Amino acid sequence: MKKLAIIILLFIAGLYSFAQNDYYFGRDNQFDPKIPTPEQFFGFPIGSSLARYDKVVEYYKLLDNLSDRAQLEVIGKTYENREQVVLIVTSPDNQKNLESIRQNHLKLIDPKSSSSNNDQKVIVHLGYNVHGGEIAGTEAAILAAYYFVASTNNETIKNLEQAVVLIDPALNPDGRDRAASYFNTFKSFPPVSDPNDIEHAGGFTPHRGNHFWTDLNRDWFPLVHVESKARVDFYHKWYPNIYADYHEMGSNSAYYFEPSPPRSTWNPTIPEETYNVLNPILAKYYSESLDKIGSLYYTKEDFDNISPIYGSTYPDFQGGVGTTLEVGSSAGIEIETEVGVRKFSRNIKDNVVTSIAAIKAAVAEKDVLFKHQKDFFSSALSLANKRADKYIVFGDKNDNNLTKLFLDHLLSHKIDVYELPDKFSQNGKDFEPGNAYVVPFSQPQYRILNAVFEENTTFVDSIFMDITAWSTVHGYGIPFVKVKGAVRQGQKVTDIPQIKKGGVSQKSDYAYIFNYTDYFASKSLYYLLDKGVVVKAAYKDFSASVAGTEYKFNKGAIVIPVEYQNISSDQLYNIVKEAAELTNIKILGVATGFSTTGIDLGSNNIRRVEKPVVATLVGSGINWTDVGETWFLLGNRLNIPLTKINVASADWADLNRYTSIILSDGNYNSLSPNFIGKLQQWVANGGTLITSEGASKWAIDNKIVTGFVPDSVPRSKNEYKRLDYISQRENEGPQRIGGAIFNADLDITNPLAFGIVSRETYAIKTSNYKLPRPKSNYATVLQLTDKPQISGFLTKKNQQELKNAPLVVFENKGKGTVVLFAESPTFRGYWLSSGRILTNAIFFGSNLSSPGRYRP
Ligand SMILES: [Zn+2]
């Protein structure tokens, strides 16, 4: 009896599920009944609630178990320990030969290989929900997976014989689950479509980013985060012909897909065919699928394809075609819009039909796609050969870890890199074997290589969606030269070489020293301080002879005396050794404090470093991505804890436990006069306050710092000039600084520049905010040069205004210091060079002096 009841229940559930199949896939679709429908598996109609990410993975695992069409691959793990997965769906025969299909496909990207296109399978990658709150992505991924695995339609079966479909249900699993949990928490019964309801307002933390609130749809190229690294690794296993990236935008918007606006938003190194043939081909299939279900859409008006930072553009740099698909957001289960109630389920349906359309397009147009991919990689060589310069040499002889990080970055993009066999010098830059590499421009990955080192200031348009200068080499701040003549290449680098293992030269009863030039020296420094070791830093250069070898130590070199420690010399040796091994740096044990040149180890110019205790404010009005960048830099890269205080409860926080407080870009007007007074007192007592962009302006406006010259540039009279309404965007848009890269001059004599040996550096500006000039002649740590622009779009007016603009300045207040940045100190996590100034402010900010308060 019980059994019968279950059968009847399953039958009823089945009927209902098939009704849901009708809604999402139309009435003329047939499905294999052995494969549970999403509704049967999840226990609710898809679109009536949000699926938990772990259940999505479980469903995909079930599809892998039940079907010979599906195979699940775990490609990585997020910061919050969620598995990143891709479901690979193709015909059962193709599944059996998957590796040979893949190998065969890789011939298309090898200009030397003469493959036939006839035996190729077309590779389609569907990527959903890169922005956590853009929720109709993952649900569409559930239904698309079910459709491709269970559909018994002839057309689908035939298409799967020709295509390998890679389904990534959430490019940002942590953000997706944060959003799913939020929307499910505030879901109402029945649904509330009133836009004022908290369900539609978004949470305390933004849904968009990953764990560190980073926009992963800007990380395909910088590859700072684990999710992107895993994804791009997987991407390079398959080089998809089509990559579809699913998004959402404002609730009033109709569906959007490419082509993007002609030419002005195209990247000039990418074959125009990508934009004017491939995107229109896809558009044809997308539009037909949406016409059929009565959904409105638009094309050609929005979004740019100019840089490789996005999911929809990175594929264009890999011989595929990337495509953005955007649906107006339902911001939960349903929401009122200008044209009526927008439903989550309807958004999912729009995404499902375009997902199916992408496969149809791929199979029908596969010859065009194969030819494009083949030509793309051969034309890379001819494009490179037209250049005057032939090679790049890069590497930092003072910085093993930075060199290794950058090498890793290049290898992640499958760029061919070779060892440098001989010493090489150009433009006053010296490169040494072991710490430098050669990269020929002439190689299949020329286009992405060019992007890494790009210095371009010519643009067709003047209004852009995001940054107009994306080169990562300037962000890493690694020395490089572009070479016109010949450079001898050594062995090809296939893996990150194990850099010289760190360690201590010998146990000492006197002192240990290490240079602060290595990128991870600050990580070792914090490790030592955290273990309670008494550590000092040198404020002047010196050199010392250690076991017969002469070593030069730059400002910032770390000195650890054996005397004054609270631990035995054996214990100290062990901790110092751990600090060296942690970051692969070399620490020297010395037997004498007598230096061969410069200051001795007992000098007053070698001063104690206190262990930093760092806090920041988070919450309403504060720029989450900037906070995330700092959180990632300190926590993830350097192992320094960062306390995040809710700005709403800042009034009650005891600031005295912190040595440094960081205020990221944002609006701080909600802070009470009481808090401002408390913060001023804390600075006066010796705290280091570090502000950037909006917070810098706030600190100046609230007289927390006062030593600035009022803006001396006379503002031109705002004469009334009548202009046409429609010209607003064209006139005003170009003045916005969307992200350009500049030459900058760093005062390397300032302790905030400890560890950096070259004055010549780079900076990115992503905002129009300008720091005023400080009254003190010694307070500008970093400023743009008088010919600053290297890359990116800038109007003549902005070019003029940014000449010699200060970017980092400091001011002493009482016993404390305020360090002001014009920009986020570590933009998107890959601006490592300016990030070092932030780290130095945390360690050495309290020892900055001005003429009125002389310190070494
Ligand atoms: Zn998006």
Side-chain angles (χ1 to χ4, degrees):
M1 188 60 204
K2 202 172 164 192
K3 208 173 166 187
L4 184 69
I6 290 173
I7 289 172
I8 291 170
L9 266 177
L10 274 178
F11 180 73
I12 294 168
L15 277 183
Y16 194 76
S17 299
F18 290 122
Q20 199 181 10
N21 280 353
D22 287 352
Y23 173 72
Y24 283 115
F25 306 116
R27 282 180 175 273
D28 52 352
N29 271 291
Q30 299 296 317
F31 292 91
D32 178 352
K34 287 197 295 296
I35 308 291
T37 68
E39 184 178 4
Q40 284 167 338
F41 177 83
F42 286 91
F44 56 83
I46 298 301
S48 66
S49 201
L50 277 93
R52 264 169 39 200
Y53 182 75
D54 59 327
K55 297 297 285 182
V56 178
V57 175
E58 204 181 306
Y59 184 56
Y60 274 21
K61 283 182 178 165
L62 184 68
L63 296 179
D64 172 331
N65 278 336
L66 293 178
S67 168
D68 50 6
R69 285 189 203 168
Q71 200 181 125
L72 187 76
E73 190 168 326
V74 178
I75 64 167
K77 214 174 208 192
T78 69
Y79 295 109
E80 296 173 19
N81 287 314
R82 292 185 179 85
E83 282 179 328
Q84 289 176 267
V85 297
V86 173
L87 191 71
I88 305 172
V89 188
T90 186
S91 73
D93 273 351
N94 288 345
Q95 282 291 1
K96 282 181 214 141
N97 302 310
L98 204 57
E99 182 54 18
S100 67
I101 289 172
R102 188 180 77 82
Q103 291 294 346
N104 196 34
H105 183 72
L106 293 184
K107 289 181 188 160
L108 288 176
I109 64 155
D110 179 4
K112 291 194 293 285
S113 155
S114 56
S115 68
S116 141
N117 292 346
N118 298 335
D119 55 353
Q120 288 286 346
K121 304 297 174 195
V122 66
I123 315 297
V124 188
H125 195 152
L126 305 171
Y128 302 90
N129 233 142
V130 64
H131 294 135
E134 299 176 3
I135 50 180
T138 294
E139 265 69 17
I142 295 167
L143 288 156
Y146 170 69
Y147 178 87
F148 291 120
V149 169
S151 169
T152 54
N153 281 19
N154 270 342
E155 193 196 354
T156 311
I157 290 171
K158 284 220 148 49
N159 283 344
L160 289 177
E161 284 164 9
Q162 296 306 318
V164 176
V165 187
L166 312 168
I167 309 176
D168 187 336
L171 278 71
N172 172 13
D174 293 348
R176 156 71 198 191
D177 243 8
R178 193 183 313 131
S181 167
Y182 180 85
F183 287 121
N184 284 338
T185 300
F186 289 107
K187 180 184 139 179
S188 296
F189 305 86
V192 172
S193 60
D194 179 353
N196 290 327
D197 191 84
I198 190 167
E199 176 187 1
H200 311 304
F204 173 75
T205 51
H207 298 149
R208 186 178 176 88
N210 72 345
H211 177 81
F212 289 102
W213 307 315
T214 296
D215 183 339
L216 292 180
N217 196 35
R218 303 292 185 277
D219 197 39
W220 279 76
F221 181 55
L223 296 180
V224 170
H225 290 280
V226 290
E227 296 91 346
S228 317
K229 283 181 185 159
R231 180 168 328 102
V232 165
D233 264 1
F234 181 79
Y235 190 94
H236 286 288
K237 277 174 78 178
W238 281 102
Y239 289 87
N241 298 99
I242 295 174
Y243 176 83
D245 206 44
Y246 282 86
H247 292 265
E248 292 185 6
M249 48 189 170
S251 298
N252 289 319
S253 290
Y255 208 85
Y256 170 86
F257 47 87
E258 274 129 346
S260 54
R263 206 152 272 122
S264 61
T265 64
W266 299 352
N267 183 290
T269 68
I270 299 300
E272 287 203 355
E273 181 185 77
T274 310
Y275 309 114
N276 62 20
V277 176
L278 301 185
N279 279 141
I281 283 177
L282 286 172
K284 179 174 153 259
Y285 287 84
Y286 292 149
S287 56
E288 279 170 12
S289 71
L290 292 165
D291 287 342
K292 251 189 222 164
I293 60 168
S295 286
L296 293 173
Y297 52 83
Y298 73 103
T299 65
K300 302 181 283 285
E301 289 182 70
D302 281 340
F303 304 109
D304 73 48
N305 278 319
I306 205 155
S307 76
I309 63 175
Y310 310 112
S312 61
T313 53
Y314 190 76
D316 300 344
F317 283 75
Q318 300 297 329
V321 55
T323 156
T324 301
L325 299 118
E326 303 249 4
V327 68
S329 180
S330 64
I333 300 306
E334 59 179 55
I335 192 166
E336 286 168 22
T337 73
E338 285 169 2
V339 290
V341 174
R342 177 180 285 280
K343 287 187 188 281
F344 182 37
S345 54
R346 178 66 193 202
N347 281 353
I348 298 168
K349 185 173 172 174
D350 285 356
N351 285 342
V352 167
V353 299
T354 55
S355 299
I356 296 169
I359 313 307
K360 282 185 187 165
V363 172
E365 310 286 346
K366 63 185 170 45
D367 292 338
V368 182
L369 295 165
F370 295 148
K371 183 170 181 307
H372 174 80
Q373 195 157 39
K374 185 93 193 153
D375 291 350
F376 179 92
F377 285 102
S378 9
S379 67
L381 302 184
S382 40
L383 209 56
N385 293 340
K386 281 185 202 145
R387 290 182 73 112
D389 39 14
K390 301 294 171 209
Y391 298 92
I392 289 160
V393 177
F394 76 87
D396 190 336
K397 61 180 194 283
N398 298 307
D399 196 337
N400 267 314
N401 277 306
L402 185 71
T403 306
K404 184 182 148 190
L405 281 172
F406 189 68
L407 175 64
D408 184 32
H409 176 64
L410 296 185
L411 296 183
S412 299
H413 288 298
K414 301 294 171 207
I415 291 169
D416 294 339
V417 181
Y418 298 84
E419 287 172 3
L420 178 75
D422 318 299
K423 281 192 174 188
F424 187 86
S425 299
Q426 186 181 303
N427 311 350
K429 292 177 186 167
D430 301 322
F431 301 91
E432 288 177 5
N435 261 329
Y437 298 88
V438 190
V439 190
F441 274 115
S442 183
Q443 60 169 298
Q445 285 291 4
Y446 165 69
R447 291 180 173 94
I448 208 81
L449 165 66
N450 175 62
V452 171
F453 291 90
E454 188 151 7
E455 295 174 337
N456 170 44
T457 53
T458 318
F459 293 85
V460 181
D461 200 356
S462 54
I463 301 174
F464 301 92
M465 184 168 89
D466 201 273
I467 51 176
T468 54
W470 42 83
S471 55
T472 41
V473 71
H474 302 102
Y476 276 73
I478 194 145
F480 73 99
V481 288
K482 294 178 180 173
V483 187
K484 287 186 175 142
V487 185
R488 213 159 70 84
Q489 290 172 203
Q491 289 280 316
K492 188 170 173 181
V493 183
T494 49
D495 240 322
I496 302 299
Q498 275 303 312
I499 60 169
K500 282 164 235 141
K501 235 183 133 31
V504 184
S505 66
Q506 60 180 47
K507 182 173 179 292
S508 173
D509 290 321
Y510 191 77
Y512 299 94
I513 316 177
F514 62 95
N515 251 321
Y516 195 64
T517 46
D518 192 280
Y519 181 70
F520 283 128
S522 53
K523 186 174 180 175
S524 295
L525 170 60
Y526 185 80
Y527 183 86
L528 292 164
L529 293 169
D530 192 44
K531 295 280 176 192
V533 174
V534 174
V535 181
K536 294 175 150 198
Y539 281 66
K540 289 190 170 168
D541 298 343
F542 65 101
S543 40
S545 172
V546 185
T549 309
E550 185 81 359
Y551 289 90
K552 188 175 178 305
F553 296 100
N554 302 98
K555 281 178 241 14
I558 301 300
V559 177
I560 307 151
V562 177
E563 209 189 342
Y564 302 117
Q565 303 289 349
N566 298 318
I567 48 177
S568 72
S569 64
D570 284 344
Q571 285 169 316
L572 178 65
Y573 171 70
N574 286 333
I575 294 172
V576 170
K577 194 159 159 279
E578 285 159 15
E581 286 168 358
L582 176 73
T583 59
N584 278 331
I585 62 166
K586 189 175 179 187
I587 301 184
L588 300 166
V590 296
T592 170
F594 190 78
S595 297
T596 41
T597 63
I599 54 175
D600 295 319
L601 294 197
S603 163
N604 283 334
N605 281 301
I606 298 185
R607 299 181 57 91
R608 177 117 186 224
V609 187
E610 298 296 337
K611 177 184 161 182
V613 184
V614 193
T616 192
L617 296 187
V618 295
S620 180
I622 300 175
N623 186 328
W624 285 100
T625 52
D626 284 25
V627 172
E629 287 159 14
T630 307
W631 186 20
F632 179 77
L633 170 68
L634 296 187
N636 206 268
R637 286 206 198 267
L638 304 177
N639 269 354
I640 303 172
L642 175 68
T643 299
K644 297 165 294 303
I645 301 169
N646 186 344
V647 66
S649 50
D651 259 356
W652 299 284
D654 174 13
L655 303 184
N656 293 322
R657 59 185 290 165
Y658 308 109
T659 61
S660 290
I661 292 175
I662 301 172
L663 301 181
S664 292
D665 178 39
N667 179 336
Y668 290 85
N669 292 338
S670 68
L671 287 171
S672 69
N674 171 46
F675 178 82
I676 295 173
K678 205 165 71 167
L679 189 67
Q680 282 171 319
Q681 193 54 52
W682 171 84
V683 173
N685 290 344
T688 302
L689 176 66
I690 302 159
T691 61
S692 61
E693 212 176 313
S696 297
K697 184 175 185 307
W698 172 84
I700 295 168
D701 291 349
N702 284 280
K703 310 261 181 311
I704 292 170
V705 279
T706 47
F708 288 89
V709 185
D711 204 342
S712 58
V713 185
R715 297 261 174 232
S716 61
K717 276 186 194 154
N718 268 333
E719 282 172 34
Y720 181 74
K721 192 169 156 197
R722 181 168 175 254
L723 295 168
D724 281 352
Y725 177 77
I726 201 165
S727 68
Q728 275 185 97
R729 184 171 179 269
E730 300 305 319
N731 289 332
E732 305 305 321
Q735 297 305 334
R736 188 183 74 87
I737 299 174
I741 295 175
F742 302 90
N743 273 312
D745 179 73
L746 178 67
D747 175 6
I748 54 171
T749 69
N750 190 302
L752 292 177
F754 274 177
I756 305 171
V757 295
S758 169
R759 287 194 76 99
E760 233 180 86
T761 183
Y762 307 107
I764 188 163
K765 264 201 77 60
T766 61
S767 77
N768 286 53
Y769 176 63
K770 265 184 70 189
L771 272 176
R773 188 158 290 287
K775 284 178 193 154
S776 161
N777 294 337
Y778 308 99
T780 303
V781 185
L782 181 68
Q783 78 170 31
L784 299 183
T785 64
D786 54 0
K787 271 199 192 136
Q789 191 185 3
I790 291 183
S791 197
F793 174 79
L794 220 54
T795 59
K796 285 258 156 32
K797 179 169 172 263
N798 281 332
Q799 285 176 24
Q800 200 55 38
E801 286 196 356
L802 286 172
K803 277 186 183 174
N804 301 314
L807 287 183
V808 182
V809 302
F810 78 94
E811 183 174 323
N812 292 135
K813 277 282 170 195
K815 290 184 196 156
T817 307
V818 183
V819 180
L820 302 96
F821 288 76
E823 296 286 319
S824 167
T826 180
F827 178 69
R828 289 188 182 158
Y830 68 94
W831 273 82
L832 304 182
S833 54
S834 38
R836 290 176 83 150
I837 304 175
L838 172 75
T839 317
N840 284 342
I842 288 163
F843 286 112
F844 312 114
S846 60
N847 267 340
L848 285 177
S849 61
S850 54
R853 184 179 74 176
Y854 181 75
R855 285 202 186 124

